[in-house]
Amino acid sequence: MNTRTKSDGLAGLENLSRKYGAVPVTVAFGDGIGPEIMKASLKVLIQAGANIAIEPIDIGESLYLAGNTSGIGPEAWDSLRRTKVFYKAPITTPQGGGYKSLNVTVRKTLGLFANVRPCVAYHPFIATKQPGMDVVIIRENEEDLYAGIEHRQTDQVYQCLKLISRPGCEKIVRYAFEYARARGRRKVTCFTKDNIMKLTDGLFHRIFDEIAADYPEIENEHWIVDIGAAKLADTPLAFDVIVMPNLYGDVLSDVAAQIAGSVGLAPSANIGEQCAMFEAIHGSAPRRAGQDAANPSGLLLAGGMMLAHIGQPEIAKRVHNAWLKVIEDGIHTYDVFKDGISKQKVGTAAFAEAVIERLGQMPETLRAVAYEGASKPFAVPQAKLRTPARKELVGIDVFVHATKPVEELARDMQATADEIFALTMITNRGVKVWPEGLPETFCTDHWRCRYLARPGKQFNKVMIVDLLKKLTYMGVDFIKTEHLYTFDGEAGYSLGQGQ
Ligand code: NAD
């Protein structure tokens, strides 16, 4: 399917949207239900008065299947770099290996570091487990395990690298506080697992505490993510804005959207220093494609976030309040339709028409949105580089593929130590197994052998090269190394569990 086919139904709308001063917006009609919900959403936005100039691009399934494993081509990148605003319908990632996630590619390539997901309940008009819920999840969007750096290192063990950077944490945490301040929110909560990942999640938490001090009028708190998630599912009213690293945010924003009512209603904004992308959080629901049945609400509300972003908050407000009125009037698509609550079951196009008919009206029971603060957009935090810390090499972790008993491995590895450095520890999957390991500990074929400089001695990279040479001659199958540094005297590496 090509772009022309997908955007066919837009012929009239494109003309309507080409007014003087129209803001260029790159639009992808997506796959599955994408073209239907995108056309419906654009129709509402434009009827409400959105002044946008639509630049359609083709991405997703058709490109994947034509052999483009990234799902996006050079013309689409040109458009995105030109408009810097992307309104995107969901796309289908074909089954099977080899296809990279287009979402992750776009987010990371355009530096869209903040993923903003409001999760709101529409009680009593849409069934919800949590009436009154109104939580905004701000998920870090570029780092963490989503760096996608994975390796198989031994017969038994695979690895995924979790990368967390100081500029990355500073940007997302400051964004969360700026968002809270601009939108009149009272509290920002941070979720991490820093009781286990003391360096990576520890950095996120530390920076949260540092930055929170710059916003004394906003309450702040930190929860360990597991109990925080349980509390969020059980008592979401305890939270307001929650900021978290990528993986937790990915999982918990879907959970929060579903608890609020339905993932089909939830929009998201992906914000960067220069570009921004707006989309629904759900996928392309291929089984519903072409039936005029899908709910366009998530994408439509994302369109509202886009209008606020490009300086048209009044239009966003018009769309959002008309949408709330439709929800109140019980005009619902099949996914949220409930006998006894809903009044009329409609398809995608009729739902959009119902919103258009109510443009200018306000909800009576649900809280009308004001887009407060959206008209005074806040500065997106820029990455700041600091004076680098004094870095000193103090040792090395050598990872080894071996199936021998740990005592034998320790003897081999100790044979390479000298008067400068010593073998201090061997761990297996992070647990110390030498010296003084327990026979109960299950061991795989993947060992970490830690060498540290002896007191008063200096370690250097030539020693590392010599050490690896010795290991090679001895037939030790080392599979990777990690240098151990101190930064301004503070250890830049974790201890082994049990050490
Ligand atoms: P999905 O969100 O597409 O669908 C899950 C179910 O939710 C569907 O069966 C459908 O019944 C329902 N649903 C979703 N959106 C709806 C809507 N707007 N109206 C009514 N019902 C709706 O998830 P999936 O089935 O796991 O994924 C399908 C495809 O979408 C996959 O190829 C996946 O890779 C892709 N996907 C894309 C995005 C994106 O582009 N942002 C996000 C998630 C999944």
Side-chain angles (χ1 to χ4, degrees):
M1 197 187 279
N2 63 33
T3 311
R4 208 164 285 287
T5 321
K6 284 180 185 172
S7 56
D8 259 357
L10 268 188
L13 291 173
E14 280 187 64
N15 290 336
L16 262 178
S17 71
R18 281 206 194 109
K19 284 185 270 180
Y20 177 74
V23 178
V25 170
T26 301
V27 174
F29 288 79
D31 302 312
I33 58 170
E36 298 158 58
I37 60 171
M38 180 53 90
K39 281 173 198 165
S41 300
L42 282 173
K43 198 167 177 190
V44 176
L45 299 185
I46 289 164
Q47 291 291 340
N51 195 11
I52 55 176
I54 297 162
E55 278 196 19
I57 57 164
D58 206 10
I59 58 168
E61 197 174 19
S62 56
L63 271 85
Y64 281 128
L65 297 179
N68 183 332
T69 51
S70 68
I72 179 164
E75 285 170 17
W77 285 121
D78 286 348
S79 173
L80 289 169
R81 294 187 63 212
R82 189 168 51 246
T83 67
K84 304 195 186 308
V85 183
F86 189 14
Y87 192 30
K88 176 182 156 295
I91 56 116
T92 300
T93 312
Q95 298 281 310
Y99 301 110
K100 295 295 275 184
S101 159
L102 176 62
N103 267 346
V104 177
T105 303
V106 172
R107 286 170 189 160
K108 291 174 69 162
T109 307
L110 297 181
L112 309 180
F113 68 89
N115 191 327
V116 183
R117 293 185 167 188
C119 302
V120 182
Y122 303 99
H123 177 78
F125 304 101
I126 290 188
T128 174
K129 293 189 173 62
Q130 297 293 353
M133 179 171 175
D134 181 6
V135 173
V136 179
I137 292 188
I138 298 191
R139 158 190 170 196
E140 197 290 318
N141 222 9
E142 294 181 285
E143 305 197 330
D144 198 355
L145 291 157
Y146 288 63
I149 305 175
E150 295 188 294
H151 296 96
R152 179 175 179 175
Q153 294 178 327
T154 68
D155 191 48
Q156 297 174 347
V157 175
Y158 298 69
Q159 170 191 273
C160 176
L161 279 187
K162 173 168 168 122
L163 295 176
I164 301 272
S165 74
R166 177 170 261 279
C169 295
E170 284 182 358
K171 281 195 297 177
I172 191 68
V173 171
R174 196 165 284 287
Y175 183 89
F177 279 98
E178 287 291 325
Y179 178 95
R181 179 180 271 174
R183 301 287 183 269
R185 298 262 174 177
R186 69 192 152 82
K187 179 162 85 171
V188 180
T189 304
C190 175
F191 281 3
T192 71
K193 188 77 184 168
D194 67 338
N195 53 334
I196 303 296
M197 286 161 277
K198 295 182 195 302
L199 288 184
T200 49
D201 280 22
L203 177 68
F204 198 97
H205 184 177
R206 202 165 70 235
I207 289 173
F208 177 80
D209 289 344
E210 279 171 26
I211 289 178
D214 293 343
Y215 300 83
E217 78 282 16
I218 300 171
E219 201 185 319
N220 73 80
E221 62 177 8
H222 171 267
W223 288 71
I224 298 291
V225 62
D226 40 10
I227 189 65
K231 178 85 175 168
L232 174 64
D234 183 62
T235 324
L237 269 63
F239 299 104
D240 194 353
V241 174
I242 314 179
V243 63
M244 50 189 127
N246 207 339
L247 179 63
Y248 315 140
D250 192 2
V251 175
L252 291 184
S253 55
D254 272 29
V255 172
Q258 190 62 27
I259 294 168
S262 163
V263 283
L265 299 177
S268 86
N270 297 264
I271 307 288
E273 288 178 32
Q274 296 167 49
C275 305
M277 172 169 83
F278 302 86
E279 59 180 344
I281 76 166
H282 60 75
S284 60
R287 273 178 300 149
R288 291 282 172 183
Q291 297 166 20
D292 185 36
N295 189 346
S297 297
L299 190 59
L300 178 64
L301 296 180
M305 295 172 92
M306 175 181 75
L307 293 181
H309 176 82
I310 62 175
Q312 301 179 20
E314 284 305 314
I315 311 297
K317 189 168 128 182
R318 241 166 99 74
V319 170
H320 203 140
N321 284 324
W323 178 84
L324 287 169
K325 185 76 172 75
V326 172
I327 296 298
E328 263 188 15
D329 287 348
I331 301 174
H332 296 164
T333 44
Y334 81 91
D335 54 317
V336 290
F337 186 90
K338 242 194 163 72
D339 284 325
I341 298 182
S342 309
K343 298 217 170 68
Q344 192 188 345
K345 192 187 281 183
V346 291
T348 313
F351 184 87
E353 285 307 324
V355 180
I356 290 168
E357 278 164 23
R358 286 162 182 77
L359 286 168
Q361 296 183 31
M362 302 295 271
E364 284 154 29
T365 308
L366 292 171
R367 191 154 52 90
V369 291
Y371 278 76
E372 283 140 3
S375 52
K376 46 174 170 81
F378 55 91
V380 172
Q382 311 274 310
K384 277 195 214 117
L385 296 180
R386 306 172 156 234
T387 319
R390 188 174 41 82
K391 177 174 145 189
E392 193 188 343
L393 183 65
V394 296
I396 185 169
D397 279 346
V398 179
F399 290 77
V400 172
H401 180 178
T403 48
K404 55 179 76 170
V406 67
E407 292 301 335
E408 226 175 280
L409 177 66
R411 251 195 323 274
D412 289 351
M413 302 305 279
Q414 269 179 312
T416 61
D418 60 17
E419 70 282 0
I420 307 288
F421 59 85
L423 180 73
T424 60
M425 168 181 84
I426 298 178
T427 66
N428 196 291
R429 291 185 300 171
V431 181
K432 183 175 70 93
V433 289
W434 182 93
E436 293 157 16
L438 294 182
E440 286 82 2
T441 307
F442 178 79
C443 290
T444 67
D445 58 1
H446 183 274
W447 310 85
R448 173 183 53 167
C449 305
R450 173 161 292 176
Y451 294 92
L452 281 173
R454 295 181 191 275
K457 302 290 183 186
Q458 286 260 301
F459 203 70
N460 65 45
K461 286 189 180 160
V462 173
M463 291 170 191
I464 292 178
V465 174
D466 288 345
L467 169 64
L468 296 181
K469 259 194 206 159
K470 272 192 214 165
L471 292 173
T472 307
Y473 295 140
M474 288 166 62
V476 173
D477 185 6
F478 63 89
I479 39 107
K480 87 165 198 162
T481 57
E482 289 283 352
H483 297 185
L484 306 178
Y485 292 106
T486 57
F487 291 84
D488 288 339
E490 194 180 309
Y493 49 90
S494 57
L495 299 177
Q497 269 151 17
Q499 196 182 11

